[in-house]
Amino acid sequence: MERSGDVRPRLDPLTIAAVTVAIIAVSSSGALIAYAAAPALAIAFWRNAMAVGVLAPVAVMRRRDELRGLRAKGALRWCLLAGIALAAHFGTWVPAPKLTTVATATALVATQPVWAGLIAVGQGRRLGRWTWFGIATAVVGAAVTAGVDFTSGGHTALLGDVLAVLGGMMAAVYTSLGEKARAQTSTTTYTTVCYSVCAVLLLAVCLAFGVQLSGYPGSTWVALLALTAGAQLLGHSLLNYALHKISATTISVLVLLEVPGAALLGWAWLGQTPRPAAWPGITLLVAGVAVVVLGARRTPTPPTPDPLDLDTDQPTPEARPTPAIGRRPHR
């Protein structure tokens, strides 16, 4: 957590490298989704199923008693609800980069801190004037960005914009529910149950609507593996590693570099560029989100759950859940 007066060690090359790799990993999500020759819902299912394949054996071996006691502690319902919200997040966010540009989809889904702030208001918390200013700026930026697609007749792109915004909303709900679960469970247990619920729900939707789940070219499977290892598992784990040298607020602002990072990857790899008129909106949106994160810097929040932190992270029943305005789910 970030506290005034914290004295952090000097940055070292390893920490700088960790942050760089993490930002590249989370920035690659949109481009990998757009590149993969598979239905969006199938991509959402496989990235969660693969993550469960990594986490479940460790959870069974090291957290068996905790898994058995989830219902008794009352944490099971929060894990299940978080899994449902995560499925809704992926179900809306993953199709977005296939319908609009990678840069626009990434910028719009990055509004998660804005929706987290509004959830905090709904829970009776007060936000500072700068946070409200940031929310207003981000909303204007999102409206300008979506308006460009609408006025240009890009109805498919506009649908992608709407889905990306919904993905950001559901990300905030997922994070809020996840904090309640994390107050009573370890990271490994929480992420295993949450990802499992998410994968099962997405699988059910895929089967119900006849979504193709196999028969993809080898390049698509490589993209799915990279998506799982990078954005789903590696990226935020390295950001958590960097928290011992860099404040949580700084990390949250640095993660906004995923927007220009995604735009650069979309351009260099896929030949995608947003319409020139969309750039002012994207810039306003990112600036607004940054102001929201900075405006919430005096409210300490726990770091983003790290699905690879398998040994040191323990349940904290005494922790009081707080709105994760600066935190992000695994894209």
Side-chain angles (χ1 to χ4, degrees):
M1 291 191 298
E2 186 184 6
R3 296 182 177 88
S4 60
D6 275 355
V7 177
R8 295 176 182 271
R10 286 187 177 182
L11 287 179
D12 57 85
L14 185 59
T15 302
I16 295 172
V19 172
T20 302
V21 171
I23 291 173
I24 293 173
V26 297
S27 300
S28 68
S29 179
L32 286 168
I33 290 169
Y35 170 80
L41 288 176
I43 294 172
F45 161 70
W46 279 116
R47 67 181 288 177
N48 281 275
M50 290 177 179
V52 172
V54 173
L55 296 171
V58 180
V60 170
M61 288 188 296
R62 301 191 180 187
R63 305 291 189 192
R64 188 175 305 172
D65 291 340
E66 187 179 350
L67 285 168
R68 290 172 177 169
L70 281 178
R71 178 175 295 182
K73 294 190 298 182
L76 181 60
R77 63 171 177 165
W78 297 118
C79 292
L80 295 177
L81 289 172
I84 294 171
L86 184 61
H89 163 67
F90 281 127
T92 49
W93 149 243
V94 174
K98 290 184 173 292
L99 298 172
T100 185
T101 63
V102 170
T104 300
T106 304
L108 290 170
V109 80
T111 55
Q112 180 262 334
V114 170
W115 307 115
L118 296 177
I119 288 174
V121 172
Q123 294 173 337
R125 297 183 176 92
R126 297 181 61 184
L127 302 181
R129 67 180 66 179
W130 279 107
T131 302
W132 281 115
F133 175 75
I135 289 174
T137 303
V139 169
V140 170
V144 171
T145 303
V148 170
D149 285 335
F150 179 76
T151 56
S152 301
H155 300 300
T156 298
L158 181 61
L159 175 59
D161 295 346
V162 172
L163 288 174
V165 171
L166 290 174
M169 290 180 179
M170 295 314 303
V173 174
Y174 155 68
T175 305
S176 178
L177 292 168
E179 284 179 334
K180 295 181 181 296
R182 285 288 293 109
Q184 304 175 68
T185 62
S186 66
T187 294
T188 306
T189 298
Y190 165 63
T191 51
T192 300
V193 175
C194 184
Y195 287 1
S196 297
V197 172
C198 179
V200 168
L201 288 175
L202 290 171
L203 176 61
V205 172
C206 288
L207 293 176
F209 289 93
V211 176
Q212 182 184 355
L213 292 172
S214 60
Y216 312 138
S219 58
T220 293
W221 288 111
V222 171
L224 290 172
L225 288 170
L227 189 60
T228 304
Q232 190 91 0
L233 295 174
L234 179 63
H236 290 272
S237 299
L238 289 177
L239 290 176
N240 270 352
Y241 166 79
L243 280 172
H244 76 295
K245 295 288 184 68
I246 304 174
S247 73
T249 298
T250 302
I251 288 288
S252 296
V253 174
L254 285 174
V255 171
L256 290 176
L257 290 173
E258 72 175 298
V259 177
L264 181 61
L265 284 173
W267 168 74
W269 186 14
L270 305 174
Q272 288 187 1
T273 53
R275 294 178 177 87
W279 281 113
I282 292 175
T283 302
L284 274 176
L285 194 158
V286 174
V289 173
V291 172
V292 170
V293 173
L294 292 171
R297 68 188 183 277
R298 293 184 179 180
T299 303
T301 59
T304 304
D306 176 3
L308 299 185
D309 183 8
L310 302 177
D311 296 313
T312 61
D313 194 39
Q314 298 294 332
T316 54
E318 74 283 0
R320 179 185 176 185
T322 56
I325 293 178
R327 287 172 46 186
R328 296 168 177 271
H330 311 292
R331 296 267 191 264

